[in-house]
Amino acid sequence: MPQYFGKLPTTGASWSTIGAVQGIQRHQQGVDFDCGGSHLAISILAANLIRVRLAPKGEFMPRRSWAVTPDDAEWSVVPFEVKETDAAVEILTEQLRVRVQRNECRVECFDKAGQAIAHDTGMGMAWRTGAIATWKRIEADEHFYGFGERTRLLDKLSEVKTNWTLDALDYDSLTDEMYTCIPFFIALRPNVNYGIFFNTTFWSQFDIGAEEPGVLRMETRGDELDYYIVYGSEPAQILRTYTHLTGRMPLPPKWAIGYHQCRWSYESEDVVRELAAEFRKRRIPCDVIHLDIDYMNGYRVFTWSPKRFSEPAKLVSELAQDGFKTVTIIDPGVKYEPEGDYHVFDAGVAKNYFVRKTDGELFHGYVWPDKAVFPDFLRPEVREWWGDLHRSLTEAGVAGIWNDMNEPAIADRPFGDPGEKIWFPADAPQGSEAERTTHAETHNLYGQSMAQAAYEGMKKLRSNQRSFILTRSGFAGVQRYSSVWMGDNQSLWEYLENSLPMLCNMGLSGVAFVGCDVGGFAGNATAELFARWMQVGMLYPLMRGHSAMTTAQHEPWVFGDRTENICREYINLRYQLLPYFYTLFWEAATTGAPILRPLLYHFPNDTHTYKLYDQVLLGSSLMAAPVYRPGVEYRAVYLPEGTWYDWWTGERYEGSTHILAHAPLEKMPLYVRAGAIIPMQPVMQYVDEHPLEELTLCIFPGNGEFTLYEDDGHTFEYQNGAWATTTYRVSSEGLETIVDIEARQGQWTPSRQTIVQVVGVGEQRFVDDGTSRQLRF
Ligand code: MIG
């Protein structure tokens, strides 16, 4: 039983419901409602963004900057109208109508067509000691997505989703709390899409019609109710607005989009060297090697094992010469070592940077270094100190940081003893002076603030070089600092299957740069599972192979030639698609769009897509229908409206239908939309193996448009204008296919040939000088 539950009284007491509206006050950004002591505030932040807050005692909490970055005052004022009737107060924006019923006070929204959005129901809004909640009506045919990191399939209707980060070791389909939590969802029914961001960092929960069909409950163990209704005519608009609130990902270095190899652990310099050599010898592309906890000296963070990694700078630079980047793991637990001459412990204690209990004693728990203490990353000075500590790694040439165990995962006894999972006492003080609070309010932010420290530290230390950050735990907004992987999955078919909806829901929660351990972390894959996983892994925004201690090796070549060839083929395809991938990352960085998308993202009015969890879109053009079951050689594929081409054979299909795809082990069914323009490059063994000399635009006849993004791939110069975008358009005129190329934008100059290939028709090539041109086929 989590310690937290014993600390804050909640259940049992009966709910006090909000009373009738007794007075209203209109102001520049919305309307305030006096409900007899309690206070309801409706703010209009944009025509499609409404913030609803309820303070039972009338006083709102101070502003919190952790998840939502812009303050309300930073939104430019938008026009709205207020209409009062006896029954209600209505607020009208260009896109929405918010109706607040006076007696009893209830909040309801409508779109322009008068369709209901997030209507209060039942108790409406209510509170009791330590908890506050709202009840919303679930409309007929409404389905629910997002909710951060979640197991099971795509649609979360009839489930309960709790937001409390924890080490979800051995998670399965029935697991509720996960490593990362994001209290945001998207609700969908034909022609109505909206999202709700439940702005609370306290323990919170969504009951999506589980207890009572047709009723959604949102509850927090915080002191006020605070949520945003994000309306959009399609999911892309909802994500654009949601990521305006919680931020977007910085553009990662291009190498981070290549293949990553990891294991717990490649335990010595020699093992790592052999691993790297093997990739190059076998011509399997790879950009990144991760070092797990055994590179450290006795699990002391920011140290190197003098025995096994005695010359880290030499190793890392040799790897770099061979085109590999090195990423090291960092855990939050700092070895408790008062007499140990361990500078991280000593400095942290001297500066008072570790979390303490209310009585002033240092909090400690047990993790890999045994007895350990934990920095309070919510404090900016602690983050800065921690960030600077990464120097011991960047000095050796490390280019990326992997944050693990940051939920935080802590045991009450030394590892190996049968112990309980614990965390800081709920009343432990945490946070900066301005936002000083307790662990109860900030638990869910621990991992995210650690990743923030890593991100900011690496940015400072690696001058003008983008770094790669990976975290296991995060909260709403984690995308501002880090990519996220889905923790300890298992080498079982079920986990391969679950990885697609899991990553799609992360993408719908604003976190585009995500991945699952390819091949499965715990347990041993079979050759067949591994081959299928590499095919699917090729689609993950983060493609990293990883496996646990004591499992069999899981490198691409250990399962024999046939599997190795499949791995090579799909990793090669990933590298050929890098220009496409990189553009998708840019899109995510600028609009918040996911990279890996469920079909409902582009076909939100097609109810066939609402539960379709085993087909995915990579960007808007490529659709994969992977095989994720043993012994399966055929599978049903749903082709939505439009014309589709088989990626491998070029065969053409009219959509709105199901087909049966033949998928022997070597093949992952892959389709592409008519009018798609997919930029491709030759296979490279790592992203910067040589400058791009030839870019091939694979064009599939139809009508379509694609904007390609390019820059140097690894510095921040793109922020000074050193980027290039080129917009390509395809259309047809009679029997002719016409390709229009707009003049290049931006100040970065790629020097390369462009090959325009209209699939099944013909090919033209030219030296791309950035001017506009038209090609006819
Ligand atoms: O207690 O660092 O999820 O990826 O290899 C296990 C060792 C700690 C858990 C991570 C996993 C990593 C492992 N870690």
Side-chain angles (χ1 to χ4, degrees):
M1 178 64 89
Q3 197 179 344
Y4 178 61
F5 285 76
K7 296 273 172 181
L8 289 179
T10 57
T11 44
S14 57
W15 296 96
S16 312
T17 48
I18 190 168
V21 174
Q22 309 194 341
I24 74 158
Q25 200 173 2
R26 189 195 161 140
H27 55 90
Q28 219 193 11
Q29 242 180 343
V31 181
D32 283 352
F33 299 80
D34 171 10
C35 300
S38 62
H39 184 169
L40 176 76
I42 309 256
S43 313
I44 310 300
L45 301 178
N48 71 332
L49 181 64
I50 313 292
R51 184 179 187 189
V52 179
R53 294 175 87 184
L54 169 66
K57 296 197 182 97
E59 281 289 303
F60 288 111
M61 284 166 62
R63 166 167 150 76
R64 302 304 199 194
S65 61
W66 306 307
V68 171
T69 42
D71 190 3
D72 286 0
E74 288 169 41
W75 292 85
S76 44
V77 175
V78 292
F80 61 89
E81 232 183 285
V82 179
K83 282 192 188 152
E84 292 197 55
T85 63
D86 287 348
V89 178
E90 297 203 336
I91 310 171
L92 289 91
T93 76
E94 264 170 34
Q95 294 183 32
L96 289 173
R97 175 160 60 97
V98 186
R99 182 174 181 272
V100 180
Q101 178 184 299
R102 293 185 197 259
N103 193 9
E104 299 290 298
C105 176
R106 294 282 184 276
V107 179
E108 305 175 330
C109 272
F110 301 86
D111 68 4
K112 278 279 148 190
Q115 304 180 97
I117 291 172
H119 279 205
D120 283 1
T121 185
M123 286 197 279
M125 290 167 263
W127 56 87
R128 60 188 178 192
T129 313
I132 181 161
T134 181
W135 288 260
K136 298 272 181 195
R137 197 168 78 204
I138 296 174
E139 303 296 331
D141 291 327
E142 200 163 37
H143 299 274
F144 294 83
Y145 310 95
F147 301 99
E149 182 184 27
R150 298 299 179 181
T151 62
R152 293 172 81 166
L153 305 181
L154 205 53
D155 177 13
K156 302 305 183 199
L157 186 65
S158 297
E159 296 179 26
V160 173
K161 298 296 169 209
T162 304
N163 299 302
W164 186 257
T165 57
L166 55 76
D167 179 355
L169 189 68
D170 295 331
Y171 70 76
D172 61 24
S173 302
L174 295 176
T175 302
D176 179 5
E177 296 97 328
M178 293 291 289
Y179 310 91
T180 285
C181 68
I182 303 176
F184 171 71
F185 67 81
I186 291 178
L188 190 66
R189 63 189 202 267
N191 302 308
V192 187
N193 311 230
Y194 65 91
I196 290 189
F197 175 53
F198 194 18
N199 188 24
T200 173
T201 55
F202 286 92
W203 181 99
S204 67
Q205 192 175 63
F206 296 102
D207 177 321
I208 311 124
E211 196 182 304
E212 194 184 343
V215 177
L216 168 85
R217 174 176 51 85
M218 308 199 290
E219 176 176 343
T220 170
R221 302 273 161 95
D223 296 322
E224 78 176 50
L225 188 70
D226 180 1
Y227 65 91
Y228 295 76
I229 299 173
V230 189
Y231 173 74
S233 56
E234 51 174 2
Q237 177 57 41
I238 297 170
L239 278 169
R240 191 186 281 265
T241 305
Y242 169 71
T243 54
H244 191 148
L245 270 183
T246 59
R248 299 189 178 127
M249 69 187 271
L251 203 56
K254 206 176 202 176
W255 53 262
I257 306 172
Y259 178 69
H260 299 232
Q261 185 64 52
C262 185
R263 178 168 172 84
W264 178 21
S265 287
Y266 294 118
E267 76 269 355
S268 72
E269 287 166 336
D270 288 340
V271 171
V272 173
R273 280 195 189 96
E274 277 166 31
L275 174 80
E278 209 67 31
F279 273 100
R280 297 298 181 244
K281 185 181 102 197
R282 293 175 186 270
R283 308 286 296 162
I284 297 175
C286 179
D287 264 270
V288 192
I289 292 177
H290 288 235
L291 302 181
D292 207 327
I293 46 178
D294 298 293
Y295 79 88
M296 294 183 243
N297 182 13
Y299 305 125
R300 287 174 193 82
V301 285
F302 305 112
T303 68
W304 294 89
S305 160
K307 275 206 222 106
R308 283 167 289 112
F309 287 84
S310 61
E311 292 179 288
K314 183 159 174 268
L315 172 72
V316 175
S317 84
E318 280 172 25
L319 290 175
Q321 273 161 31
D322 225 356
F324 292 96
K325 299 288 189 290
T326 305
V327 169
T328 49
I329 195 168
I330 287 288
D331 289 354
V334 172
K335 191 176 179 67
Y336 179 89
E337 220 176 11
E339 311 297 327
D341 212 10
Y342 175 33
H343 71 105
V344 182
F345 176 80
D346 292 344
V349 170
K351 294 167 189 280
N352 193 20
Y353 284 172
F354 297 125
V355 172
R356 291 180 182 272
K357 298 182 278 187
T358 35
D359 62 9
E361 291 289 309
L362 273 181
F363 169 86
H364 73 262
Y366 293 86
V367 224
W368 289 107
D370 222 31
K371 189 172 174 180
V373 290
F374 299 84
D376 181 6
F377 295 113
L378 276 179
R379 292 160 57 191
E381 66 279 17
V382 178
R383 284 199 300 272
E384 197 179 347
W385 166 69
W386 188 263
D388 288 344
L389 288 171
H390 290 78
R391 189 186 305 276
S392 59
L393 302 166
T394 54
E395 259 171 11
V398 167
I401 296 297
W402 165 26
N403 283 164
D404 188 21
M405 307 292 273
N406 53 353
E407 297 73 30
I410 313 173
D412 63 350
R413 259 161 282 182
F415 269 28
D417 293 2
E420 297 266 333
K421 278 183 201 165
I422 55 165
W423 39 81
F424 316 147
D427 56 2
Q430 273 193 262
S432 67
E433 249 167 69
E435 294 179 312
R436 195 106 181 119
T437 175
T438 60
H439 187 66
E441 187 177 1
T442 59
H443 173 86
N444 285 334
L445 295 161
Y446 195 74
Q448 174 141 324
S449 50
M450 180 188 186
Q452 181 182 0
Y455 171 73
E456 287 163 357
M458 292 296 277
K459 190 164 183 187
K460 189 161 127 189
L461 290 164
R462 303 183 69 240
S463 63
N464 203 19
Q465 295 293 316
R466 294 178 232 165
S467 305
F468 167 71
I469 311 291
L470 176 60
T471 183
R472 195 169 73 174
S473 186
F475 190 71
V478 66
Q479 66 273 9
R480 300 197 295 269
Y481 315 112
S482 183
S483 60
V484 182
W485 99 104
M486 307 296 106
D488 297 345
N489 62 357
Q490 300 177 29
S491 299
L492 296 171
W493 292 94
E494 296 86 315
Y495 288 79
L496 171 59
E497 174 177 11
N498 190 234
S499 70
L500 292 169
M502 209 173 177
L503 298 179
C504 284
N505 276 318
M506 281 296 279
L508 294 177
S509 308
V511 191
F513 197 1
V514 287
C516 295
D517 290 344
V518 174
F521 174 72
N524 301 326
T526 60
E528 184 192 4
L529 174 63
F530 198 78
R532 290 300 193 190
W533 213 317
M534 271 289 171
Q535 296 173 343
V536 174
M538 180 247 129
L539 306 162
Y540 294 168
L542 169 65
M543 186 186 190
R544 183 182 78 154
H546 185 32
S547 53
M549 180 119 94
T550 74
T551 62
Q553 294 294 129
H554 271 182
E555 292 73 27
W557 48 83
V558 299
F559 295 95
D561 290 348
R562 183 174 180 197
T563 312
E564 180 179 338
N565 289 337
I566 294 171
C567 294
R568 184 184 299 100
E569 188 190 344
Y570 284 83
I571 298 178
N572 279 350
L573 178 59
R574 169 106 176 175
Y575 278 73
Q576 289 174 295
L577 286 169
L578 272 173
Y580 183 63
F581 266 101
Y582 195 54
T583 297
L584 292 177
F585 274 77
W586 166 71
E587 214 184 308
T590 49
T591 71
I595 293 162
L596 191 69
R597 305 169 184 172
L599 269 59
L600 62 90
Y601 185 83
H602 286 293
F603 300 92
N605 299 323
D606 176 352
T607 53
H608 285 107
T609 65
Y610 287 10
K611 289 170 195 164
L612 192 62
Y613 70 89
D614 64 354
Q615 289 179 222
V616 289
L617 284 156
L618 192 57
S620 62
S621 300
L622 276 175
M623 180 176 71
V627 170
Y628 50 85
R629 288 280 179 205
V632 171
E633 222 187 289
Y634 288 88
R635 66 156 285 176
V637 177
Y638 177 61
L639 299 175
E641 193 182 11
T643 303
W644 296 84
Y645 294 89
D646 181 306
W647 174 262
W648 306 109
T649 63
E651 196 176 333
R652 195 185 142 116
Y653 298 93
E654 285 314 316
S656 299
T657 187
H658 282 84
I659 59 170
L660 188 66
H662 185 211
L665 191 58
E666 273 69 19
K667 189 169 144 196
M668 171 174 65
L670 201 56
Y671 303 87
V672 59
R673 281 210 231 193
I677 300 171
I678 314 266
M680 296 183 72
Q681 66 172 45
V683 172
M684 296 198 196
Q685 296 309 299
Y686 53 98
V687 299
D688 285 329
E689 191 181 22
H690 45 77
L692 185 59
E693 280 148 13
E694 283 181 357
L695 180 83
T696 305
L697 295 172
C698 291
I699 299 184
F700 294 80
N703 293 313
E705 182 181 317
F706 182 81
T707 298
L708 174 76
Y709 174 82
E710 298 167 283
D711 64 17
D712 68 17
H714 60 99
T715 73
F716 287 95
E717 290 309 316
Y718 72 94
Q719 294 175 344
N720 304 323
W723 51 267
T725 56
T726 316
T727 298
Y728 306 96
R729 253 181 223 101
V730 58
S731 56
S732 19
E733 224 177 72
L735 291 176
E736 265 189 332
T737 299
I738 300 162
V739 177
D740 281 300
I741 304 175
E742 276 186 11
R744 192 160 54 223
Q745 307 283 308
Q747 292 157 29
W748 193 71
T749 312
S751 66
R752 52 166 164 73
Q753 292 240 1
T754 301
I755 301 167
V756 176
Q757 192 189 88
V758 178
V759 175
V761 177
E763 181 175 301
Q764 295 181 38
R765 66 169 66 210
F766 57 91
V767 176
D768 196 349
D769 59 5
T771 55
S772 68
R773 63 183 78 215
Q774 185 176 74
L775 309 175
R776 289 177 168 262
F777 292 87

